[in-house]
Amino acid sequence: MINFKDHIESIPDFPKEGILYRDIQPLLSAPEVFKKAVLELGKLVEVPDYWVAIESRGFLFASALSLTYGGGIKLIRKQGKLPNSKIISQAYGLEYGKDVLEMAVEESSPKTAVLVDDVLATGGTLQAATLLCEQAGFNVIDKLCLLDIGLVISHNIKCLITYD
């Protein structure tokens, strides 16, 4: 049995004083651990029509989930990164700032979606991503993160690794 926390490095005072950063790179650099994490993440949710990946590390997990379990991928990116002409935007708060997410809108029948990100901090990114998906006509059936750093006490986001 893999203890996934053994593959997460805790870095104090990064990116600024008072923040305890949870670095997922050791997990990503261990192929068997990464593979097992993807398998376990996929077991937490129903397979959607689309894994909606949140920039940027959500791209890694959504791609692996798509290849492992099926379903397509849609991207949610930071402002100004999508060349599409039909874009919707949503501002949101971060643990230590503010940002804007964007998503390309396509004309199609409503599809199911699972949002995928690497880390749950304040929940602002996933909240903004949920609003974008709903505006784009997706039925968000679940939200998925590799790890929860423990800032949000009560939430409906499925996480493989949880810190208190």
Side-chain angles (χ1 to χ4, degrees), residues 3-57:
N3 182 350
F4 294 108
K5 284 184 179 178
D6 290 344
H7 300 274
I8 305 296
E9 185 178 356
S10 297
I11 302 168
D13 299 322
F14 183 82
K16 68 180 200 175
E17 192 170 332
I19 303 290
L20 179 60
Y21 184 80
R22 304 288 187 175
D23 187 5
I24 67 169
Q25 290 185 73
L27 183 143
L28 295 172
S29 68
E32 289 305 314
V33 177
F34 178 51
K35 181 178 181 178
K36 184 66 173 168
V38 169
L39 290 171
E40 293 302 315
L41 279 167
K43 291 176 184 178
L44 296 176
V45 297
E46 191 178 309
V47 176
D49 295 317
Y50 292 99
W51 303 95
V52 179
I54 300 171
E55 187 168 341
S56 66
R57 291 175 304 241

Side-chain angles (χ1 to χ4, degrees), residues 59-76:
F59 296 176
L60 301 170
F61 292 98
S63 296
L65 287 161
S66 173
L67 288 173
T68 303
Y69 290 99
I73 300 171
K74 296 288 183 180
L75 304 180
I76 290 182

Side-chain angles (χ1 to χ4, degrees), residues 125-162:
T125 303
L126 281 163
Q127 185 177 33
T130 300
L131 292 171
L132 282 173
C133 283
E134 290 170 350
Q135 289 173 39
F138 288 97
N139 174 24
V140 177
I141 59 172
D142 245 318
K143 301 167 194 167
L144 192 58
C145 284
L146 175 68
L147 72 94
D148 172 359
I149 64 172
L151 295 179
V152 180
I153 303 304
S154 179
H155 60 77
N156 65 347
I157 299 150
K158 295 179 178 160
C159 302
L160 187 60
I161 304 165
T162 303

Side-chain angles (χ1 to χ4, degrees), residues 94-106:
L94 293 164
E95 187 178 1
Y96 39 83
K98 293 186 184 217
D99 213 341
V100 175
L101 293 177
E102 294 182 331
M103 182 178 196
V105 179
E106 301 169 8

